[in-house]
Amino acid sequence: MALISMKFTMVALMATVALTTLCNAGKVYTGGYLYPQFYDHSCPKASEIVNSIVTKAVTKEPRMAASLLRLHFHDCFVKGCDASVLLDSSGTIISEKRSNPNRNSARGFEVIDEIKSALEKKCPDTVSCADILALAARDSTVLAGGPSWEVPLGRRDSLGASISGSNHNIPAPNDTLPTIITKFKLKGLDLVDLVALSGSHTIGQSRCTSFRQRLYNQTGNGLPDFTLNQFYANELRQRCPRSGGDQNLFPLDLVSPTKFDNHYYINIVAGKGLLSSDEILLTKNSVTMELVKQYAVNNGLFFDHFAKSMVKMGNIAPLTGSKGEIRKICRRVNH
């Protein structure tokens, strides 16, 4: 009996160890809470509905792919991936849409509204706005020619917003590299994540006001940024003067502005990264420089790292279980 009991204890112990190992392995991929099959029973068509509406929006306006991808970034870097970026101002809530990184810049909210409306009709009170953002970011990347990945799901929506978090936590175009590294590190993201996720600038556009100082007064001494290719700088000055034209738009990737590829890194190596935060990946740190050079010659490596880093970013501080809520309308809390 003692031998049988001992065997049973050993089997139970091995099973526990195996289960713990499995759970820990799961945590590496999904944060322990999120998993791609979350809606398989409660709303099996969820991903299909999101993809259908994102496809329609991006087909109509290719720039929308970058806009939807950016919304997910700007959501996750403030209080975690909880759809706080979607809330309008109301009552005690001051919208993150008013923050410096988002004002006159963040867009795609109407596409998210349309997706949410369709999902509420199909599966009321089920799919969160935070998960819609994560799925739309993946679908936008694929539609632009980029990599795909399984999106862990099960996030819930926040009950508030943080305009101060939006102003201070989102990496800015003129931040120094140490500041950007710190902002990523505070979210559990490393240098590979930083350089790979910066590659989202392979699509989309930026305003003159975001890079003007590089053309005229990079360090306050009245001189331009000499790491910027001077022929490219002269082209940019034609539509980005010293004053005025703040909202004039320029492609972040001048070679293939609507195609998700590694030209962003090739441009940086050639001194043609548009934003200061792009070019300093090459000029201010040996590790980030090496990654830029690797991605410039290896599109497959960039795609692989980007997909892994998107999953990692999507796992920043999600609300799960009974935390937060499932909003009926993404722009406002339920009560």
Side-chain angles (χ1 to χ4, degrees):
M1 285 290 286
L3 188 60
I4 292 170
S5 174
M6 197 164 84
K7 277 184 178 175
F8 180 79
T9 305
M10 285 296 290
V11 169
L13 184 62
M14 285 167 71
T16 303
V17 169
L19 186 62
T20 305
T21 304
L22 191 63
C23 289
N24 287 340
K27 279 183 183 175
V28 172
Y29 180 61
T30 67
Y33 302 108
L34 311 177
Y35 52 99
Q37 302 79 17
F38 189 84
Y39 297 112
D40 279 8
H41 298 294
S42 59
C43 194
K45 298 259 190 218
S47 294
E48 196 179 303
I49 290 168
V50 173
N51 183 263
S52 163
I53 295 170
V54 171
T55 300
K56 183 179 74 172
V58 172
T59 302
K60 183 181 174 186
E61 185 195 6
R63 183 188 171 203
M64 188 55 69
S67 300
L68 293 172
L69 180 55
R70 187 166 181 257
L71 276 185
H72 185 43
F73 274 80
H74 284 211
D75 181 36
C76 292
F77 267 80
V78 184
K79 304 197 306 107
C81 309
D82 61 3
S84 61
V85 72
L86 302 177
L87 289 171
D88 288 338
S89 294
S90 66
T92 58
I93 294 170
I94 301 173
S95 176
E96 292 170 19
K97 296 174 186 179
R98 295 184 182 181
S99 72
N100 292 328
N102 294 329
R103 191 173 59 248
N104 300 321
S105 174
R107 59 199 296 278
F109 300 109
E110 295 78 11
V111 178
I112 302 299
D113 290 340
E114 187 181 343
I115 294 168
K116 183 59 174 170
S117 176
L119 286 168
E120 284 301 304
K121 281 179 188 146
K122 191 76 175 173
C123 327
D125 308 318
T126 303
V127 182
S128 70
C129 302
D131 278 345
I132 291 171
L133 285 173
L135 287 166
R138 188 270 312 273
D139 293 348
S140 294
T141 302
V142 173
L143 285 162
S148 186
W149 59 92
E150 273 199 311
V151 179
L153 301 164
R155 300 167 190 79
R156 288 166 66 85
D157 300 324
S158 73
L159 300 170
S162 173
I163 190 168
S164 65
S166 188
N167 276 324
H168 295 112
N169 298 348
I170 296 171
N174 299 323
D175 279 347
T176 64
L177 189 56
T179 297
I180 295 170
I181 290 170
T182 298
K183 287 181 177 181
F184 270 75
K185 195 173 180 181
L186 288 170
K187 301 299 176 189
L189 300 172
D190 59 25
L191 289 180
V192 173
D193 301 317
L194 163 55
V195 181
L197 292 173
S198 293
S200 61
H201 286 175
T202 177
I203 54 175
Q205 302 187 59
S206 184
R207 297 173 296 160
C208 164
T209 185
S210 297
F211 61 86
R212 174 184 281 125
Q213 90 292 338
R214 298 193 74 199
L215 303 178
Y216 303 104
N217 191 20
Q218 175 67 351
T219 57
N221 60 1
L223 296 172
D225 181 352
F226 290 112
T227 66
L228 181 63
N229 178 287
Q230 292 310 299
F231 294 104
Y232 181 41
N234 286 333
E235 279 180 41
L236 295 172
R237 287 188 190 101
Q238 291 173 24
R239 288 184 52 245
C240 186
R242 282 180 185 273
S243 61
D246 286 8
Q247 305 303 319
N248 289 351
L249 291 170
F250 296 77
L252 285 158
D253 173 353
L254 78 161
V255 177
S256 53
T258 58
K259 189 173 190 304
F260 199 101
D261 57 25
N262 66 335
H263 267 294
Y264 165 77
Y265 301 102
I266 296 169
N267 295 339
I268 289 176
V269 172
K272 295 180 179 179
L274 183 63
L275 306 178
S276 173
S277 57
D278 297 328
E279 200 62 43
I280 57 177
L281 297 175
L282 182 76
T283 59
K284 298 293 185 182
N285 180 290
S286 60
V287 177
T288 61
M289 175 183 73
E290 190 53 40
L291 284 163
V292 167
K293 288 180 176 178
Q294 282 184 40
Y295 296 158
V297 297
N298 192 335
N299 193 60
L301 182 69
F302 162 47
F303 276 22
D304 181 54
H305 286 187
F306 183 83
K308 287 185 171 75
S309 293
M310 283 297 290
V311 171
K312 200 169 162 186
M313 185 188 77
N315 290 328
I316 297 173
L319 298 174
T320 55
S322 59
K323 293 175 184 170
E325 65 179 11
I326 305 297
R327 286 185 216 141
K328 293 179 188 295
I329 296 170
C330 291
R331 292 173 179 267
R332 60 174 186 255
V333 296
N334 292 339
H335 302 294

